[in-house]
């Protein structure tokens, strides 16, 4: 019995697909991780903007710092809020610095040892 060219290649596509599956999965995992890094940068920037906006509206002193930190954390989901740090300061020109941890694959699970930083500032308006 003589095999045709089609018969000799039988199952080749299945073997090639099984060989490529780990590479396909690794590519998807890396793409998802890059999405999480980008999203963390977006969240940090938004939190810094919100924090400095609340700080310019609050009275100077301890109330300003508390309002700034609360506003910076309020827009973050629990997964990013756990490792978040919001620092506010300045008079005349109010600043807010936000530091967030980048999650590994799933927000709320373990985080990478590096963090994402965002900075925002705004001029304090006089309320005369």
């Amino acid at each position: 019995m003589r095999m045709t060219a089609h018969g000799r290649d039988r199952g080749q596509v299945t073997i090639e697909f099984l060989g490529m599956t780990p590479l396909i999965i690794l590519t998807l995992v890396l793409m998802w991780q890059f999405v999480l890094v980008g999203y963390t940068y977006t969240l940090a920037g938004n939190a810094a903007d919100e924090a400095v906006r609340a700080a310019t509206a609050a009275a100077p002193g301890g109330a300003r710092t508390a309002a700034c930190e609360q506003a910076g954390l309020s827009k973050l989901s629990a997964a990013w809020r756990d490792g978040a740090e919001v620092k506010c300061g300045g008079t005349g020109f109010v600043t807010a610095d936000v530091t967030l941890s980048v999650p590994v694959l799933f927000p709320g699970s373990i985080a990478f040892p590096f963090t994402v930083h965002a900075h925002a500032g705004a001029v304090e308006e006089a309320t005369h």
Side-chain angles (χ1 to χ4, degrees), residues 39-86:
Y39 187 59
T40 303
Y41 271 104
T42 302
L43 287 176
N46 184 54
D49 289 342
E50 292 291 331
V52 81
R53 188 176 298 121
T56 58
R64 171 178 284 170
T65 303
C68 180
E69 291 174 357
Q70 181 183 8
L73 294 173
S74 69
K75 299 297 181 187
L76 298 172
S77 67
W80 275 272
R81 193 180 311 130
D82 291 339
E85 185 178 324
V86 179

Side-chain angles (χ1 to χ4, degrees), residues 14-96:
T14 303
I15 298 297
E16 289 176 3
F17 179 74
L18 289 176
M20 290 298 293
T21 300
L23 185 61
I24 293 168
I25 291 172
L26 178 64
T27 302
L28 291 174
V29 165
L30 287 174
M31 287 175 54
W32 174 246
Q33 189 58 56
F34 285 128
V35 167
L36 283 177
V37 170
Y39 187 59
T40 303
Y41 271 104
T42 302
L43 287 176
N46 184 54
D49 289 342
E50 292 291 331
V52 81
R53 188 176 298 121
T56 58
R64 171 178 284 170
T65 303
C68 180
E69 291 174 357
Q70 181 183 8
L73 294 173
S74 69
K75 299 297 181 187
L76 298 172
S77 67
W80 275 272
R81 193 180 311 130
D82 291 339
E85 185 178 324
V86 179
K87 293 181 182 176
C88 306
T91 53
F93 185 75
V94 181
T95 61

